[in-house]
């Protein structure tokens, strides 16, 4: 309590005594013992009321025992069920929950994981992917400031993600792996990996690479084949031995017809082979009969040209040719023309574009001849200042011409453009706006225009190569930028009429991948409509069974997750409820479960994790040893902690009750003695 409050309390006591004596002794006509009693009651009530108004604070210390946290993380992937260990894992968890010693010593927490970590068990053992590294990293973040040893119950087989054997070095908690599954190495042949391009072109041949492996001691002979339907399109005999336990086969297949071609790769099982599921793998290739040809015309050499070419050709369905204005002869074979920093030498090019009514993409910069460009077209006009400026991009979330997401433009470096105002003379849709430093302008940096059936885009700045480099620094790949640029090129290279409802899906998916169908829905003014109520009706072509699923709004699109669907051929229709608008499509799901390709527990990696984190590895039948070691380990001790709370007297409700009680007693006593 503060000294100031002590002084106020003393003053309150003096004031209460003075008021009580003044009312019942000084002003009283007859002074007797009853007056002293009434004065005492009045003193107490006034003093209590003044104390309540002063509201002093007190420090209150509470002590409690904090147990160390014991984390159980259980692998919920389908490989556990495939190894026939699901019942043993459930029984193991049941015994842990029923152990009174662990409950008394630890604060026990339970998690399950597959591709992500979940803060509950709910064990179904049907998840299609396993990412042990991500689970450990998530637990490390949750318990980074506490002592929380982790019991990791898994077979150690990870299907994707960072190698947990090495990433566990940075894990701050002790890990106790519980090895699930058979550790005995058995004779097995399998298709370790199959590499094939997703797309091929009609009447071409596409390459296929297959890696086959063998675990065993004897010499064996088997065969490998590729089937398309019931027809064998490729076959080859294969031999393995203990020393030569892997082989790589490279071959090509013809893309004889357009559409999705499905194939089945099969390695003939050897006698008494335990796991034959990993001897077969289905794959598909989409054969397209048209390639998007893009012509980039530039009169100067610039790093942007290489970045644009790499970005466009990252999709095998597109090719880019770079040419100077004087070398351009015929533009009919190209679906899109990119004009890089036009000048007066582009005069003939502009005439050919207008005559052929080709879609084009103009990129301007410090070397652009704006006197020429302002005269060559009547869509936009740049104020001529002959000065340059650095323009930062700002993504426009209301852009509605086609589906596009922000890939982090706010963190991208600036582009160099001509300083001055831009005057747009035609209707346009701004994809990126430009900032000058921290100043937001309403002027476009990247805009798309559709006028009289011709599509055009204009980028008011050079240096786009820095954006692609920044994308790699942020994501360790060029994929996000290349996807953004590819969608822009796809829109510009197409003459398809704009629709209020568009759907986006792949031609085929692998069974272990995320299967999502997206849709974009626009108002009659072609602005993205977030109020839409969209349903997707999915029909299995093989079984004729159909299912209606509502599509959820996510960012600037509607989305339906179909990852739970079984393998097969499907067709779908997206319907806008209340509108006579729908779009249809189809896709195939190929049967492939990576979890079923795994036969044994990875004991070596799990033991290494235990070594890296100063823990110990156990097997399923060593539960008593695990419990005993955890309880006896002196690193996991309960800690007594104290907590100091500052309590205000006004929060003590009993004081108000005392004041009411004192005033009530005084009133009744005076009433009883006829003083009222």
């Amino acid at each position: 309590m503060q000294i100031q409050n002590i002084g106020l309390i003393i003053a309150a006591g003096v004031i209460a005594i003075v008021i009580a004596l003044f009312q019942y002794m000084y002003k009283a006509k007859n002074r007797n013992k009853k007056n002293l009693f009434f004065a005492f009651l009045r003193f107490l009530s006034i003093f209590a009321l003044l104390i309540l108004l002063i509201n002093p604070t007190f420090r209150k210390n509470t002590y409690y025992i904090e147990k160390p946290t014991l984390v159980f993380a259980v692998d919920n992937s389908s490989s556990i069920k495939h190894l026939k260990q699901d019942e043993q894992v459930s029984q193991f968890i049941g015994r842990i929950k029923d152990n009174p010693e662990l409950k008394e010593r630890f604060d026990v927490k339970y998690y399950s994981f597959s591709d992500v970590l979940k803060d509950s068990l709910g064990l179904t053992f049907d998840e299609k992917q396993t990412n042990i590294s991500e689970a450990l990293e998530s637990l490390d973040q949750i318990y980074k400031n506490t002592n929380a040893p982790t019991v990791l119950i898994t077979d150690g087989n990870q299907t994707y993600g960072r190698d947990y054997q090495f990433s566990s070095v940075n894990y701050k908690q002790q890990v106790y792996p519980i090895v699930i599954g058979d550790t005995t190495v058995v004779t097995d042949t399998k298709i370790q990996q199959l590499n094939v391009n997703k797309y091929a072109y009609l009447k071409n041949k596409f390459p296929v690479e297959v890696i086959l492996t063998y675990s065993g001691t004897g010499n064996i002979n088997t065969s490998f084949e590729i089937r398309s339907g019931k027809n064998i399109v490729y076959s080859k005999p294969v031999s393995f031995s203990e020393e030569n336990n892997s082989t790589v086969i490279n071959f090509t297949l013809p893309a004889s017809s357009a559409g999705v071609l499905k194939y089945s790769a099969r390695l003939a099982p050897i006698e008494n082979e335990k796991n034959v599921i990993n001897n077969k793998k289905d794959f598909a290739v989409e054969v397209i009969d048209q390639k998007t040809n893009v012509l980039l015309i530039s009169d100067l050499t610039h790093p942007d040209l290489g970045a644009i070419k790499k970005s466009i050709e990252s999709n095998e369905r597109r090719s880019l040719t770079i040419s100077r204005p004087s070398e351009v002869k015929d533009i009919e074979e190209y679906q899109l023309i990119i004009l890089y920093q036009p000048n007066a030498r582009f005069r003939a090019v502009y005439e050919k574009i207008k005559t052929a009514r080709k879609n084009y993409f103009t990129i301007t910069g410090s070397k652009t001849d704006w006197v020429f460009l302002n005269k060559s077209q009547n869509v936009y006009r740049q104020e001529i200042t002959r000065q340059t400026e650095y323009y930062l991009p700002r993504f426009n979330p209301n852009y509605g011409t086609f589906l596009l997401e922000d890939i982090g433009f706010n963190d991208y470096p600036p582009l160099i453009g001509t300083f001055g105002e831009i005057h747009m003379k035609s209707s346009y849709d701004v994809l990126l706006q430009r900032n000058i430093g921290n100043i937001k302008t309403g002027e476009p940096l990247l805009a798309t225009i559709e006028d009289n059936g011709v599509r055009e885009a204009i980028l008011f700045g050079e240096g786009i190569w820095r954006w692609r480099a920044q994308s790699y620094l942020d994501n360790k790949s060029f994929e996000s930028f290349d996807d953004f640029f590819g969608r822009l090129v796809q829109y510009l290279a197409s003459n398809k009429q704009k629709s209020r409802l568009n759907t986006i899906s792949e031609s085929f998916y692998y069974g272990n991948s995320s299967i999502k169908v997206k849709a974009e829905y626009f108002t009659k003014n072609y602005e993205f409509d977030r109020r839409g109520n969209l349903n997707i009706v999915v029909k299995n072509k093989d079984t004729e069974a159909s299912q209606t699923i509502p599509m959820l709004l996510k960012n600037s699109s509607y989305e339906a997750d179909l990852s739970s669907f079984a393998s097969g051929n499907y067709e779908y229709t997206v319907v806008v409820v209340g509108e006579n608008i729908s779009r249809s499509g189809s896709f195939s799901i190929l049967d492939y479960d990576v979890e079923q390709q795994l036969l044994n527990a990875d004991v070596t990696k799990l033991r290494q994790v235990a070594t890296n984190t100063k823990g110990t590895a156990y097997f399923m039948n060593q539960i008593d040893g695990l419990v005993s070691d955890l309880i006896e380990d002196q690193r996991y001790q309960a800690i007594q902690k104290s907590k100091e709370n500052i309590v205000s007297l006004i929060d003590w409700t009993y004081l108000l009750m005392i004041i009411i009680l004192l005033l009530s007693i005084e009133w009744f006593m005076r009433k009883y003695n006829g003083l009222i």
Side-chain angles (χ1 to χ4, degrees), residues 24 34 37-38 41-42 662-676:
Y24 285 102
K34 291 181 180 179
F37 178 69
F38 291 143
L41 291 176
R42 180 57 60 89
L662 289 171
L663 292 174
S664 300
I665 293 174
E666 181 185 351
W667 186 85
F668 279 109
M669 291 298 294
R670 291 183 65 187
K671 184 74 173 178
Y672 180 79
N673 289 278
L675 299 177
I676 299 178

Side-chain angles (χ1 to χ4, degrees), residues 74-137:
V74 185
D75 190 341
N76 193 33
S77 63
S78 61
S79 64
I80 305 300
K81 183 180 290 186
H82 178 62
L83 296 174
K84 299 179 181 180
Q85 298 293 315
D86 48 330
E87 292 185 7
Q88 288 84 338
V89 172
S90 298
Q91 293 173 3
F92 184 92
I93 293 298
R95 291 183 61 184
I96 291 296
K97 289 183 176 180
D98 295 336
N99 191 293
E101 294 179 291
L102 286 179
K103 292 180 181 178
E104 182 180 353
R105 180 68 183 276
F106 295 97
D107 180 17
V108 184
K109 302 290 185 182
Y110 297 95
Y111 295 85
S112 64
F113 68 90
S114 51
D115 53 340
V116 295
L117 182 73
K118 298 180 180 178
D119 59 353
S120 62
L121 285 178
L123 299 176
T124 57
F125 304 110
D126 58 1
E127 300 291 338
K128 298 180 180 179
Q129 296 278 12
T130 307
N131 191 341
I132 300 175
S133 177
E134 196 277 338
L136 290 176
E137 290 172 3

Side-chain angles (χ1 to χ4, degrees), residues 197-267:
N197 292 332
K198 194 171 184 179
Y199 303 101
Y201 298 102
L202 186 64
K203 299 180 180 179
N204 285 354
K205 290 186 177 182
F206 58 91
V208 181
E209 180 183 62
V210 183
I211 302 175
L212 308 176
T213 60
Y214 163 71
S215 59
T217 56
N219 298 333
I220 64 165
N221 296 310
T222 183
S223 63
F224 172 78
E225 64 181 25
I226 299 288
R227 287 179 177 266
S228 176
K230 296 182 179 180
N231 300 322
I232 299 176
V233 295
Y234 178 84
S235 64
K236 182 178 181 180
V238 183
S239 299
F240 294 105
S241 65
E242 185 176 3
E243 294 78 17
N244 300 319
N245 55 11
S246 67
T247 185
V248 179
I249 302 176
N250 291 284
F251 56 95
T252 60
L253 295 175
S256 55
S257 61
V260 178
L261 303 182
K262 298 179 183 178
Y263 298 91
S264 178
R266 182 177 178 271
L267 179 62

